[in-house]
Each structure stands twice: as structure tokens, then as C-alpha cells.
């Protein structure tokens, strides 16, 4: 239960086995492949294998088709290991053409329906106004335009009061002012330009509207209703198309997604023309099992290399830890770094389990932590909260407490108040974390002076524990200990740390 010993594995195989190797590597949890661009050494004819984006383009097409058909694409169906590009392209092209026909008709109907709705609203405003539509239409030397513009532009009309046109406001709603303006033919272009600047949207009045507004509105309403029905028929047609092709599309999507991920692995492949190679790190204890996993590939040859052999090419082994399930959640707390050679996960697990059972043990708090852990179980903190919740609940069973106030049954009781128990628990967590990190730093430190005369060395630990012992004896055990011996020890250690720091700075200069 520590940091894994890694080995750099060089795998060489025949080119015709490439797809099979990539399929196998995809399922491996312990192999860490390295970019081929770091392995290639500018040798003529040797290069990193290029990824083909054919599956990326295919997935883009499938996503667009799914969006048009309102099909929720998922990877529930098992993928195939091969895909006939020609047949798939032909199939998707035919489907795209059918979708386009339906959408073109639907889009045209929606556009015409919206135009009819706008015209109908204009007719409603006309029927409420005193404008004589027949007289306006019969004018030979004047032109009337009907339409609307945004309400916020209404006040701007006053700036054109002196211009030669007649403005008639027919009505307004929350967004638009509905209106018409009348202008002589010779000034038509000038006035049209003014209203275009105001965002005027012209609405054509149907030619059959002449003194028969009610009949015209009825005809428009019938057209709108007929278009709505036809739009629904197009929706139904799209639904039938979706249900007919659903299984095939999901199968193609699942396969294309799988093969795209396999294709992405090609960045790890060194191309030797007839041969290929993949370099990657793997824990030593998993090496034989991994080779067994690839045993069906007869052309495969292995070469075990030291993990640091290609450090100069920035091929650096990852730091991988291996811990039992009971302590694995505490990897979040231990935070093992790339440069570490020691794993403190077990120490942190022991510290937290001990504190949460002995000092923070409570059935109610344990239940809350377990619930939070279950709710966030997909995140790293979820498993940590779940483990701490179980530990807290075990402590609660020992003490029989619920939320530190209700005692369910006679049980073991610590000779401390709830406040002191909680305070001691948190202090021990802080002190324990400091101690573990201090021992870790001392283990990694090569200098004996740094191990002894630093705050994360022996002097620092003496200061922390001298304070803890004195405060514990004085405030919890109520022992009347003289403070002077503790103060001398603490001050002496701090002075040593300070002297060491000063000497270090001077030596650096």
C-alpha cells in the first residue's frame, strides 16, 4: 500500500495488428501510453501515426441529424468493431435528404404562417381605425404603406414632422407600433428611406382586401389554421422517420463514438512502416497480467525499460498509488505529488478514523455525513464523506449519542464535555496533519540540519506538542503545571529555527 513501482514498456507489433492492439489498450486501466511525438527522434521514415478525423466528421453529421429529428443520441447499444464507411455515408446522405425535404416544407410553411399572422394583426388594427382602405388603394398620385416598427422608435417620428408625408398610428402592443404612412409618388423614395431608418417593417395587404375586412380576416384565419395542420403533419412525418431509423442511427453513433476513441489512441503509436510501437508506463505488479491481456496478438514483442530512461525526452512516469478500499478515499487528503516517493494515505486514514470515531462519534452526524457522501458519490469528496460518516456512526454506536444532545442508551462515555470533545477532535486533526506532513518532509529532506532545525522538522514538532501538552494539562486535566519549562523549550526551538534561517540566507548570498 504505497506508491507503485513503474516500468516503461516498449511494445512492438506488426502493422496489421494495430486495430486489435488499440482495442485491447482501450480496456486497460493500468497502462499509461506516452505520446509518440516524444519517442520519435527525427529518424527518417519514423514518425508518429496521424489520427484520421473521419469518425469525428461522422459524429458531427449524426449529432446534426439527431438535432433535426429530435433524437436523443446515446451509447446504450453495444458498438461494432468495424464500420463500412461507404455504406454508412450513403445511408446518412439519404437520410439527410429526407430530413431536408421535410424541414424545407416545414420552414416555408412556418414563414408563410408568420407572414399571414402579421397581416391578420394589421387587418385587426385597420378594422379598428377610421382609415378608408378603398380610397387609399384607388389613389393614383399617392402611395400608402402599412407596417410596424419598434415602440422605442415612436418618439423619433417628431423629428420628421416637417417632411412631406402623413403618418397614421393604427395601434400598438407591447413591442410594436402599427401604422401607415401616405406620401406622394415623387417623394416616395425619400420617405421610405426615413422609415427604414426607424426600423419600419412593411406588411403587404392582400389584393382581395377591398372593403371586406371581415371576409379577408376569415380567409387568413383559415389559411393559418390549414398551415398549422400541415406543419403538424410534417412533425408527424419527422416522428415516423425518427422511429423508423432510431435503432440504426443509435448503432452507428455508438460504433462511430467507439472507433473515434480508438482512433484517438493513434497519437501514441510510433510508425516504423511495416512495424508499429507503443511506449507506456505500467505498475510492475500489473505487468504480467497486462501481457496476458494481449497474449492473442502473436506478433507482439515486449521490452521492459527503467522508468527514468527517457526523462531527458520528457517521458516521465506518473505517480500512481495503490491503496486498499478502506483507505483509498483519503488519497484526496494525502495529495501525493509527481515528485513524491512516499505515500501518506494510510497515516491520514488512521488519523481521521481515530478522531471521527473517538472524539466526533455521533449517530446523527454520521447519518448526515453518509447522506452527503451518497449524494456526491460521483466526486472524490463523496467517498471521503461516506467513509467519515461510517466512522462517525460507529463512534455514535459506542457512545449512544444523537447530535451530541440525545443519549439513546447507557454506553461508554468520555470524561469530557461535548465542547471539549469537538475541540479536541479538530485540534488533533490539525496537529496530526502537521505531524504527518512534517515527517514526510523530513523523510524527503537530504539535509540533517533541515530535518532538525525547521518548523517542519524536529524543532517544529517539539513546539507544537509542547503547546498541546501544556494546554491539555492546564485546561482539561486541570493540573497546575509551571509554564516556565514549556516556555523555555518553545523559545529555544524557535530561536534555533530563526538562527538556521538567517545562516541559510547569508550562505545563499
Amino acid at each position: 500500500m504505497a506508491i507503485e513501482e513503474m516500468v516503461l514498456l516498449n511494445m512492438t507489433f506488426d502493422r496489421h495488428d494495430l486495430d486489435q492492439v488499440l482495442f485491447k489498450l482501450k480496456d486497460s486501466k493500468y497502462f499509461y501510453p506516452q505520446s509518440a511525438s516524444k519517442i520519435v527522434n527525427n529518424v527518417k521514415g519514423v514518425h508518429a501515426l496521424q489520427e484520421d478525423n473521419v469518425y469525428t466528421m461522422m459524429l458531427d453529421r449524426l449529432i446534426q441529424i439527431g438535432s433535426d429529428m429530435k433524437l436523443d443520441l446515446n451509447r446504450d447499444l453495444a458498438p461494432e468493431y468495424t464500420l463500412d464507411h461507404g455504406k454508412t455515408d450513403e445511408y446518412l446522405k439519404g437520410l439527410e435528404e429526407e430530413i431536408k425535404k421535410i424541414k424545407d416544407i416545414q420552414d416555408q410553411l412556418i414563414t408563410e404562417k408568420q407572414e399571414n399572422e402579421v397581416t391578420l394583426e394589421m387587418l385587426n388594427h385597420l378594422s379598428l381605425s377610421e382609415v378608408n382602405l378603398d380610397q387609399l388603394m384607388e389613389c393614383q398620385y399617392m402611395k400608402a404603406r402599412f407596417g410596424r416598427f419598434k415602440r422605442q422608435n415612436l418618439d423619433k417620428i417628431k423629428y420628421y414632422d416637417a417632411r412631406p408625408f402623413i403618418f397614421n398610428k393604427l395601434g400598438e402592443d407591447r413591442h410594436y407600433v402599427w401604422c401607415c404612412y401616405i406620401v406622394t409618388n415623387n417623394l416616395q423614395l425619400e420617405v421610405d428611406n426615413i422609415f427604414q431608418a426607424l426600423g419600419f417593417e412593411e406588411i403587404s395587404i392582400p389584393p382581395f382586401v377591398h372593403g371586406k375586412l371581415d371576409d379577408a380576416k376569415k380567409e387568413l384565419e383559415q389559411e393559418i389554421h390549414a398551415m398549422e395542420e400541415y406543419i403538424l403533419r410534417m412533425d408527424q412525418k419527422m416522428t415516423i422517420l425518427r422511429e423508423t431509423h432510431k435503432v440504426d442511427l443509435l448503432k452507428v453513433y455508438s460504433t462511430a463514438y467507439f472507433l473515434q476513441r480508438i482512433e484517438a489512441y493513434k497519437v501514441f503509436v510510433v510508425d516504423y512502416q511495416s512495424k508499429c510501437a507503443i511506449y507506456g508506463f505500467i505498475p510492475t505488479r500489473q505487468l504480467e497480467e497486462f501481457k496476458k491481456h494481449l497474449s492473442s496478438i502473436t506478433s507482439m514483442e515486449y521490452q521492459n525499460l527503467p522508468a527514468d530512461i527517457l526523462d531527458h525526452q520528457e517521458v516521465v512516469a506518473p505517480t500512481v498509488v495503490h491503496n486498499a478500499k478502506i483507505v483509498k478515499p483519503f488519497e484526496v487528503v494525502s495529495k501525493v505529488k509527481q515528485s513524491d516517493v512516499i505515500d501518506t494515505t494510510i497515516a491520514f486514514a488512521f488519523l481521521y478514523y481515530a478522531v471521527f470515531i473517538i472524539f466526533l462519534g455521533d449517530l446523527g452526524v454520521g447519518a448526515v455525513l453518509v447522506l452527503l457522501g451518497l449524494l456526491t458519490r460521483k466526486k472524490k469528496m463523496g467517498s471521503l464523506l461516506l467513509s467519515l460518516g461510517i466512522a462517525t456512526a460507529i463512534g455514535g454506536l459506542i457512545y449512544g449519542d444523537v447530535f451530541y444532545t440525545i443519549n439513546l442508551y447507557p454506553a461508554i462515555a468520555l470524561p469530557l464535555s461535548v465542547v471539549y470533545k469537538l475541540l479536541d477532535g479538530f485540534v488533533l486533526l490539525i496537529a496530526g496533519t502537521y505531524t504527518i506532513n512534517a515527517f514526510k518532509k523530513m523523510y524527503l529532506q537530504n539535509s540533517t540540519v533541515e530535518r532538525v532545525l525547521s518548523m517542519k522538522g524536529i524543532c517544529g514538532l517539539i513546539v507544537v506538542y509542547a503547546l498541546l501538552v501544556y494546554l491539555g494539562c492546564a485546561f482539561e486535566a486541570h493540573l497546575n503545571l509551571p509554564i516556565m519549562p514549556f516556555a523555555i523549550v518553545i523559545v529555544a526551538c524557535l530561536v534555533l529555527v530563526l538562527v538556521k534561517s538567517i545562516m541559510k540566507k547569508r550562505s545563499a548570498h
Side-chain angles (χ1 to χ4, degrees):
M1 295 185 185
I3 294 176
E4 294 272 24
E5 181 186 352
M6 306 295 283
V7 62
L8 180 61
L9 186 64
N10 172 19
M11 302 185 299
T12 308
F13 49 90
D14 291 341
R15 190 182 183 87
H16 62 76
D17 287 328
L18 176 60
D19 287 343
Q20 192 179 355
V21 172
L22 295 180
F23 291 147
K24 294 280 188 181
L25 286 185
K26 176 190 166 292
D27 298 327
S28 175
K29 297 179 181 178
Y30 307 105
F31 185 70
Y32 300 87
Q34 299 301 297
S35 174
S37 60
K38 294 180 180 180
I39 309 298
V40 173
N41 294 310
N42 298 319
V43 177
K44 188 176 179 180
V46 179
H47 58 271
L49 205 61
Q50 296 300 309
E51 180 183 352
D52 192 343
N53 63 354
V54 62
Y55 297 111
T56 301
M57 293 189 293
M58 189 179 293
L59 286 170
D60 289 341
R61 291 175 70 185
L62 286 165
I63 289 169
Q64 184 60 53
I65 289 171
S67 175
D68 292 338
M69 299 174 70
K70 295 183 175 62
L71 174 63
D72 183 22
L73 295 173
N74 58 62
R75 303 189 301 277
D76 294 342
L77 296 180
E80 300 289 343
Y81 276 25
T82 57
L83 195 64
D84 188 318
H85 294 179
K87 286 184 179 179
T88 304
D89 180 65
E90 188 178 341
Y91 168 69
L92 294 181
K93 194 177 290 183
L95 195 56
E96 286 166 340
E97 288 174 1
E98 289 189 62
I99 291 171
K100 187 177 184 302
K101 287 178 185 176
I102 296 172
K103 282 185 66 64
D104 286 348
I105 295 171
Q106 198 171 42
D107 291 344
Q108 184 180 352
L109 286 168
I110 290 171
T111 301
E112 291 177 2
K113 173 176 167 287
Q114 289 172 343
E115 290 174 354
N116 284 344
E117 286 172 341
V118 171
T119 305
L120 180 60
E121 190 159 357
M122 173 57 78
L123 294 182
N124 286 330
H125 287 292
L126 275 170
S127 63
L128 296 173
S129 71
E130 297 179 357
V131 173
N132 190 317
L133 192 62
D134 287 334
Q135 290 180 359
L136 286 176
M137 295 295 185
E138 291 170 3
C139 289
Q140 293 182 12
Y141 304 106
M142 301 184 74
K143 183 69 176 178
R145 295 201 187 279
F146 297 87
R148 65 184 184 177
F149 56 80
K150 295 278 180 68
R151 283 186 62 180
Q152 60 262 34
N153 292 332
L154 180 60
D155 291 340
K156 297 176 183 177
I157 288 288
K158 65 184 179 183
Y159 297 110
Y160 302 101
D161 284 345
R163 307 309 296 160
F165 65 85
I166 298 171
F167 175 76
N168 193 306
K169 178 181 168 185
L170 302 176
E172 62 181 284
D173 54 28
R174 287 190 307 169
H175 304 291
Y176 295 99
V177 172
W178 302 79
C179 62
C180 72
Y181 65 88
I182 305 166
V183 62
T184 56
N185 290 340
N186 62 322
L187 296 172
Q188 178 182 327
L189 293 177
E190 179 187 349
V191 175
D192 283 349
N193 191 58
I194 290 171
F195 274 86
Q196 281 296 318
L198 296 174
F200 181 79
E201 300 173 19
E202 186 177 3
I203 298 170
S204 300
I205 303 299
F208 54 79
V209 180
H210 292 288
K212 318 174 207 174
L213 286 177
D214 289 339
D215 291 343
K217 288 194 288 184
K218 188 178 293 184
E219 187 171 337
L220 280 172
E221 286 171 352
Q222 289 173 350
E223 282 189 24
I224 290 169
H225 181 67
M227 287 176 176
E228 286 174 344
E229 288 186 347
Y230 208 75
I231 289 168
L232 285 175
R233 285 176 62 187
M234 291 297 103
D235 280 336
Q236 291 169 354
K237 198 169 182 180
M238 189 71 83
T239 301
I240 292 169
L241 189 67
R242 181 182 68 232
E243 295 304 315
T244 303
H245 294 273
K246 182 177 180 180
V247 174
D248 291 335
L249 281 172
L250 291 178
K251 189 72 173 179
V252 172
Y253 179 76
S254 182
T255 301
Y257 184 86
F258 170 78
L259 292 175
Q260 184 204 36
R261 287 189 63 197
I262 296 299
E263 193 71 27
Y265 268 77
K266 286 185 178 179
V267 298
F268 306 119
V269 180
V270 180
D271 185 6
Y272 295 131
Q273 296 182 358
S274 63
K275 290 273 188 178
C276 292
I278 295 177
Y279 286 72
F281 292 100
I282 187 168
T284 304
R285 66 182 186 87
Q286 296 289 342
L287 188 56
E288 293 307 317
E289 184 181 338
F290 178 73
K291 289 180 179 179
K292 187 177 179 181
H293 178 61
L294 298 173
S295 59
S296 59
I297 303 168
T298 54
S299 66
M300 182 69 75
E301 296 176 5
Y302 301 98
Q303 184 181 12
N304 299 347
L305 300 170
D308 59 353
I309 194 170
L310 296 180
D311 280 1
H312 61 286
Q313 293 180 222
E314 297 183 359
V315 180
V316 182
T319 299
V320 180
V321 294
H322 174 61
N323 289 296
K325 288 184 178 180
I326 194 169
V327 299
K328 193 169 183 61
F330 295 90
E331 290 174 2
V332 178
V333 182
S334 61
K335 296 177 182 177
V336 178
K337 299 176 184 176
Q338 180 71 26
S339 58
D340 287 347
V341 293
I342 182 173
D343 181 15
T344 55
T345 304
I346 296 175
F348 275 108
F350 179 80
L351 171 66
Y352 275 75
Y353 279 136
V355 169
F356 275 78
I357 291 173
I358 298 170
F359 291 95
L360 306 179
D362 182 273
L363 288 169
V365 175
V368 171
L369 290 174
V370 167
L371 181 60
L372 288 173
L374 292 172
L375 291 174
T376 58
R377 62 185 177 277
K378 291 184 179 180
K379 299 179 180 179
K380 289 183 178 180
M381 284 300 296
S383 58
L384 177 62
L385 288 172
L386 185 60
S387 298
L388 294 178
I390 293 170
T392 308
I394 291 171
L397 287 172
I398 295 170
Y399 301 132
D401 291 339
V402 179
F403 294 113
Y404 305 114
T405 55
I406 303 170
N407 191 262
L408 297 179
Y409 47 81
I412 297 171
L414 280 179
L416 294 170
S417 66
V418 173
V419 175
Y420 274 119
K421 277 173 64 178
L422 295 176
L423 186 62
D424 286 353
F426 287 115
V427 168
L428 283 174
L429 280 180
I430 295 169
T433 300
Y434 181 86
T435 303
I436 293 169
N437 287 331
F439 274 106
K440 179 180 177 180
K441 188 168 183 180
M442 283 190 285
Y443 179 83
L444 298 174
Q445 187 61 252
N446 293 324
S447 171
T448 304
V449 173
E450 287 290 337
R451 288 176 180 172
V452 177
L453 304 179
S454 68
M455 283 307 295
K456 281 199 174 179
I458 293 174
C459 283
L461 290 174
I462 290 172
V463 170
V464 169
Y465 283 97
L467 279 172
L468 287 179
V469 170
Y470 178 77
L471 293 174
C473 291
F475 293 100
E476 291 190 23
H478 302 292
L479 297 175
N480 191 17
L481 295 177
I483 193 172
M484 190 55 68
F486 291 94
I488 292 171
V489 171
I490 292 171
V491 170
C493 288
L494 292 175
V495 168
L496 288 171
V497 171
L498 183 61
V499 169
K500 186 268 303 180
S501 298
I502 294 171
M503 290 177 66
K504 187 177 180 182
K505 286 180 179 178
R506 285 183 178 179
S507 63
H509 292 296

